[in-house]
Amino acid sequence: MTSTELEILVFDLARLPAETEWVEFKENRAEPREIGEYISALANSAALLGKSRGFVVWGIRDGSHDIVGTSFRPRERKVGNEDLEPWLARGLNPTLDFRFHEGSVGGTPVVVLEVPAAGHSPIGFENDRFVRVGSYNKKLRDHPEKERALWQSFDRIPFEQGIALEAVQGSQVLELLDWARYFELIDLPIPGDPVGTLRRLEDERMITATTGGRYHITNLGAISFGKDLEKLGVGRKAIRVIVYKGTDRIETVRERKGQYGYGATFERLIDYVNSQLPTNEHIGKALRTTHPMYPEVAVRELVANALIHQDLYMTGTGPMIEIFMDRVEITNPGVPLIEPLRFIDAPPKSRNEALAALMRRISICEERGSGVDKVVSLAEVFQLPAPDFQVTESHTRVVLYAPRPLSAMSKADRIRACYQHAALQYVSGRQMTNTTLRERFKISPQNYAMASRIVRDSIAAGVIKPFDPSNRSKKHAKYVPYWA
């Protein structure tokens, strides 16, 4: 937040007739535990009231709302030996991207604590959840009617419909959003006047009209075509690309954090990622040529999936691409809505429907669920180990491995590849056989016993089963995934 933006915000808040359930005024009192309770209460109350954020302002006298200044300096405050901000962050559950802004208004020092509205669950502090009742913080459990309404608000408002930036002029909208790139990708002529452009952005729900000829920029507009995600308040949604020197995270070669929205910069992002990936060198009779180690289409599909299927309500984290010498890891916040073993066959299910629909219209993603099929198929064509779809407590990660011979693959690698091959065959109207599996791994016919061993291990692991259990002929045996 710039000094001018801070000054305008403080003046606007000071003009409120009284403290509200989303704004608190203080002069100097700044007890750490009390601040934590304010963060919880303001986040929950802002969500209840449909506000994008709440505020505590130090330097404004309660009652008169005179700007009197403050001696509070959050970056100098410690709790024990710990700085105030990390201490507060540690006490919040779930995490929240609150921010302190220090500045002055007419030479008078002020501090603003900006608190985003709760997204998908109430915000708690140190095992208690709070809510504002009038201008007081109260425990949420003591107000069941507000708790019910708060949970209902989470079901009612998708993240994309939330407000990233409130009440800006039309000219500012056109400065903050890359509308020219949008019209290029949607393959439509640019309207002849700003009013037509704003109307189209409103039709796409990237902005919403408000009073006085101003507009709210929605989260959808910000994360899809924002020119500066930090200025729009969604900087944590930017994708990071990290390149490491070896096979671990000890030494970083370079790191790049995105600034633009996903739609505005997706093609440049994919070009950059592919430029950082290692290549294979092939020496022919006369020429030395290089080939990508990973299929570019697979990288594109996985990055698009990470952006579209992330849990946008999770704060303090964002999508990330990590490039190692032997693999690429693509991580997004949130656990998947579909069991990872069913990524290949299950109907698509998106938690961010508006974002997915917009990304489909500008040809960045598909909504028919064929992306993972492509990735698995290309891994087979490029003779890569099977992609590994992993789920942690709060993230989803896909690992693409560099080529390595079957002899270097672990038992888990072989079982995963066998399952994915059987699933890919099944969704294509076929069944896996010893022969198709040998082709997948490039096993010679005389080594068919090696493929048979992988099949036995996969059946024992419960990921595939015989297509016809009554068939006793191993030569003509067919196999399908466990869910078929």
Side-chain angles (χ1 to χ4, degrees):
M1 187 180 295
T2 67
S3 58
T4 301
E5 291 169 338
L6 179 65
E7 189 169 0
I8 292 171
L9 175 63
V10 171
F11 275 129
D12 285 345
L13 295 176
R15 280 197 290 266
L16 291 170
E19 285 183 335
T20 71
E21 294 187 345
W22 56 281
V23 177
E24 171 74 17
F25 298 126
K26 291 190 171 297
E27 291 186 45
N28 297 307
R29 181 181 174 86
E31 296 299 322
R33 193 173 306 279
E34 189 177 64
I35 295 174
E37 293 178 6
Y38 273 117
I39 294 174
S40 169
L42 289 167
N44 294 332
S45 293
L48 263 174
L49 296 168
K51 297 288 184 180
S52 62
R53 49 186 61 85
F55 302 94
V56 182
V57 185
W58 283 268
I60 293 183
R61 180 165 294 153
D62 190 15
S64 68
H65 294 190
D66 293 335
I67 300 174
V68 297
T70 183
S71 60
F72 175 44
R73 299 291 181 269
R75 286 170 181 80
E76 298 175 6
R77 180 65 62 88
K78 289 186 178 292
V79 185
N81 294 322
E82 190 173 6
D83 290 340
L84 175 63
E85 288 192 50
W87 182 84
L88 290 169
R90 190 161 47 80
L92 294 172
N93 183 32
T95 58
L96 195 71
D97 187 22
F98 66 90
R99 299 189 181 191
F100 286 101
H101 303 283
E102 298 183 58
S104 63
V105 176
T108 304
V110 296
V111 174
V112 174
L113 171 58
E114 181 183 6
V115 181
H120 56 96
S121 66
I123 302 297
F125 180 73
E126 292 195 338
N127 302 317
D128 264 318
R129 294 165 169 172
F130 297 87
V131 69
R132 299 273 283 177
V133 178
S135 60
Y136 296 94
N137 296 341
K138 300 291 184 179
K139 291 183 179 180
L140 184 60
R141 66 171 179 264
D142 294 336
H143 296 269
E145 75 289 349
K146 286 185 177 287
E147 187 168 15
R148 283 194 301 271
L150 182 58
W151 281 108
Q152 289 170 358
S153 74
F154 299 142
D155 294 334
R156 190 169 59 241
I157 305 173
F159 176 87
E160 300 103 311
Q161 292 180 24
I163 306 302
L165 201 61
E166 295 179 322
V168 297
Q169 295 178 347
S171 59
Q172 291 177 281
V173 170
L174 300 180
E175 290 174 5
L176 292 167
L177 299 184
D178 193 351
W179 52 271
R181 179 62 174 158
Y182 161 74
F183 281 102
E184 178 186 349
L185 290 171
I186 208 75
D187 197 22
L188 286 174
I190 295 175
D193 58 81
V195 173
T197 300
L198 291 169
R199 187 179 299 117
R200 180 68 195 189
L201 296 179
E202 191 174 3
D203 290 342
E204 285 283 11
R205 293 183 290 177
M206 288 193 257
I207 61 174
T208 59
T210 184
T211 57
R214 291 175 176 258
Y215 298 87
H216 297 325
I217 297 178
T218 65
N219 287 331
L220 176 63
I223 63 174
S224 60
F225 284 96
K227 288 184 178 179
D228 190 327
L229 298 182
E230 288 288 347
K231 283 186 178 180
L232 289 164
V234 289
R236 291 299 182 93
K237 307 304 177 192
I239 191 165
R240 293 165 58 207
V241 182
I242 307 174
V243 182
Y244 299 100
K245 185 174 182 179
T247 59
D248 53 38
R249 294 178 172 86
I250 294 176
E251 187 172 349
T252 300
V253 176
R254 64 187 63 87
E255 179 174 350
R256 177 170 165 175
K257 181 181 178 182
Q259 174 185 344
Y260 277 66
Y262 306 149
T265 195
F266 186 78
E267 298 300 336
R268 293 197 298 273
L269 168 66
I270 297 302
D271 288 344
Y272 175 75
V273 170
N274 283 322
S275 74
Q276 302 303 306
L277 296 174
T279 57
N280 282 325
E281 196 170 72
H282 175 72
I283 302 176
K285 291 183 178 179
L287 298 174
R288 184 189 302 263
T289 59
T290 58
H291 301 277
M293 186 174 291
Y294 305 97
E296 294 182 4
V297 172
V299 173
R300 179 189 177 93
E301 292 288 345
L302 292 176
V303 172
N305 280 348
L307 297 178
I308 291 162
H309 296 296
Q310 65 178 300
D311 185 347
L312 290 167
Y313 281 118
M314 288 188 64
T315 60
T317 182
M320 182 167 57
I321 303 169
E322 297 175 285
I323 301 172
F324 303 84
M325 289 299 296
D326 62 344
R327 68 193 187 281
V328 180
E329 297 186 5
I330 301 170
T331 306
N332 64 265
V335 298
L337 300 178
I338 299 171
E339 163 63 35
L341 285 175
R342 304 299 300 274
F343 281 174
I344 294 176
D345 76 294
K349 185 184 292 186
S350 176
R351 54 163 51 93
N352 307 307
E353 294 180 0
L355 177 62
L358 179 57
M359 296 297 103
R360 176 182 54 80
R361 286 198 296 281
I362 60 177
S363 302
I364 284 178
C365 78
E366 299 173 337
E367 285 188 298
R368 59 179 184 267
S370 62
V372 172
D373 299 22
K374 284 183 183 177
V375 173
V376 173
S377 178
L378 287 165
E380 294 193 354
V381 171
F382 274 61
Q383 284 297 288
L384 303 178
D388 192 4
F389 300 94
Q390 304 173 356
V391 178
T392 70
E393 183 178 347
S394 55
H395 289 78
T396 302
R397 177 180 297 117
V398 183
V399 185
L400 275 182
Y401 294 100
R404 60 172 180 254
L406 180 61
S407 58
M409 292 185 193
S410 68
K411 181 178 179 180
D413 290 336
R414 298 179 186 192
I415 291 173
R416 188 173 65 252
C418 181
Y419 165 73
Q420 291 182 8
H421 177 68
L424 197 61
Q425 291 288 105
Y426 185 80
V427 298
S428 302
R430 302 184 294 269
Q431 291 84 41
M432 182 187 81
T433 65
N434 186 290
T435 300
T436 67
L437 188 63
R438 282 191 282 108
E439 291 172 354
R440 160 59 177 109
F441 285 117
K442 291 294 185 283
I443 300 172
S444 61
Q446 59 268 31
N447 289 328
Y448 70 89
M450 185 181 296
S452 298
R453 184 162 57 250
I454 296 172
V455 169
R456 287 197 301 271
D457 290 341
S458 300
I459 292 175
V463 295
I464 67 169
K465 63 183 181 182
F467 174 63
D468 180 5
S470 64
N471 177 39
R472 301 302 177 189
S473 170
K474 296 296 183 184
K475 182 177 181 181
H476 300 290
K478 298 178 181 180
Y479 306 92
V480 293
Y482 72 92
W483 42 260

